[in-house]
Amino acid sequence: MLATPDDDALARAFAHYEEHGYVHLGRLVPDEDLEVLRARINQIMLGEVVYPGMFFQHDSPTGRYEDAPIGQGWQGPSLAYRKIEKLELDPLFRKHMEDPAFERIVRARIAGDIALYRAIVMNKHASGGSDLPWHQDGGTFWGLDRDPELQLWTALDDAPLDGGCLEFVPGTHKRGLATPLGGVIPREMTDPEESRKVLVPARAGDVVLIHNYVWHRSGRTLTGAQRRAFSVCYMSAATRCRRKKRAPRQFVRLFQGGAAVGGTGMGAVE
Ligand SMILES: O=C(O)CCC(=O)C(=O)O
């Protein structure tokens, strides 16, 4: 069970998120939950727990994002996958993303029924992993009739300054999409903004709320330890998939069990 934010903490957090495009919510996840999720994602990568339809992308041999293999899926037991998607298939990750604390945060921003766009683990393996370039999470690449705005990122391991922490260019969410396609932002746009970037180190169990449009990235880890993070993108259940070539995606509904009540215990807003 996560620590649940009270009304004041939530209001302060959302003021920061609106201004800067992200907010560090502090430590919400207890150690016992982290241990369970860390063990489970390693079991999934190693093929000890298998869900048909789960998406895997192995990391690149070079540490360059551009060199990561595309379309190859699970390539055998390895702790060097960079991205695992569809974690809603796993009951432990599903429980985490539907925790009452998350429900409270999500319902404060999204009216009506809630759906899941994606639930992913981003993994940087102990030998470093790869750089994730400046990007936005939306645009035609996402294929929706409206872009989601709310992602809850949970550090499953420490993500210190030299260990693959999140980096942001504050306020960039207010500019909309850098390109209609979305995704990776062209270097000629990001280079002049490098001096404005803010590094947001996290301890295991910390949660960061991310606006899909804020420019964000993360580097390789230099600590020698694996850095795993679980990122969930929530959206209104009214959102529709616009793709035409295949049947439109149907999105999993979340929080069908009822609205969360208030509580206490949210950490400092950073
Ligand atoms: O975990 C990371 O390194 C990046 C996460 C991210 O880009 C996201 O959650 O949108």
Side-chain angles (χ1 to χ4, degrees), residues 4-45:
T4 305
D6 62 30
D7 287 345
D8 285 349
L10 208 52
R12 284 200 309 277
F14 279 121
H16 190 283
Y17 160 87
E18 275 164 25
E19 179 65 19
H20 302 289
Y22 71 93
V23 59
H24 189 303
L25 297 172
R27 185 181 159 86
L28 301 189
V29 189
D31 284 339
E32 53 272 26
D33 291 22
L34 293 172
E35 276 165 28
V36 163
L37 295 175
R38 284 192 294 248
R40 176 50 55 94
I41 196 60
N42 280 7
Q43 288 175 317
I44 290 172
M45 286 192 271

Side-chain angles (χ1 to χ4, degrees), residues 118 120 122-124 132 135 137 151 153 164-166 210 216-219 227 229 231-232:
R118 69 175 189 185
I120 62 177
M122 301 292 290
N123 175 50
K124 295 184 194 282
L132 176 63
H135 69 281
D137 293 314
Q151 308 192 94
W153 181 95
C165 73
L166 290 172
I210 304 173
H216 56 293
R217 70 175 299 277
S218 61
R227 193 235 70 172
S231 179
V232 182

Side-chain angles (χ1 to χ4, degrees), residues 100-269:
F102 281 1
E103 178 169 13
R104 184 165 165 71
I105 295 166
V106 170
R107 288 200 188 278
R109 295 297 297 191
I110 304 175
D113 290 340
I114 311 293
L116 171 72
Y117 179 74
R118 69 175 189 185
I120 62 177
V121 163
M122 301 292 290
N123 175 50
K124 295 184 194 282
H125 58 80
S127 305
S130 53
D131 284 311
L132 176 63
W134 291 114
H135 69 281
Q136 295 174 302
D137 293 314
T140 50
F141 188 62
W142 277 42
L144 300 173
D145 66 354
R146 71 204 82 177
D147 280 332
E149 297 188 343
L150 200 149
Q151 308 192 94
L152 284 167
W153 181 95
T154 302
L156 301 180
D157 298 294
D158 290 347
L161 291 174
D162 62 348
C165 73
L166 290 172
E167 302 174 27
F168 298 97
V169 182
T172 39
H173 62 301
K174 295 180 189 167
R175 302 184 198 166
L177 285 169
T179 67
L181 186 63
V184 175
I185 304 165
R187 284 282 302 271
E188 60 272 22
M189 297 178 81
T190 59
D191 280 352
E193 305 279 1
E194 282 286 340
S195 60
R196 294 186 52 233
K197 77 179 173 199
V198 172
L199 276 65
V200 180
R203 301 292 303 268
D206 290 355
V207 176
V208 179
L209 176 58
I210 304 173
H211 192 295
N212 288 52
Y213 278 1
V214 73
W215 298 9
H216 56 293
R217 70 175 299 277
S218 61
R220 306 181 74 215
T221 175
L222 306 176
T223 64
Q226 194 179 6
R227 193 235 70 172
R228 290 156 287 192
F230 180 45
S231 179
V232 182
C233 178
Y234 301 88
M235 63 186 187
S236 163
T239 309
R240 294 284 164 263
C241 174
R242 298 172 81 167
R243 77 179 177 195
K244 299 273 189 299
K245 288 192 183 142
R246 286 186 286 154
R249 282 181 64 186
Q250 302 295 319
F251 299 104
V252 169
R253 299 271 175 120
L254 298 176
F255 309 127
Q256 298 279 276
V261 292
T264 55
M266 192 180 210
V269 171

Side-chain angles (χ1 to χ4, degrees), residues 45 57-60 77-83 123 125 226:
M45 286 192 271
Q57 185 183 32
H58 204 271
D59 221 328
S60 66
S78 166
L79 293 179
Y81 287 94
R82 69 172 284 274
K83 182 154 84 166
N123 175 50
H125 58 80
Q226 194 179 6

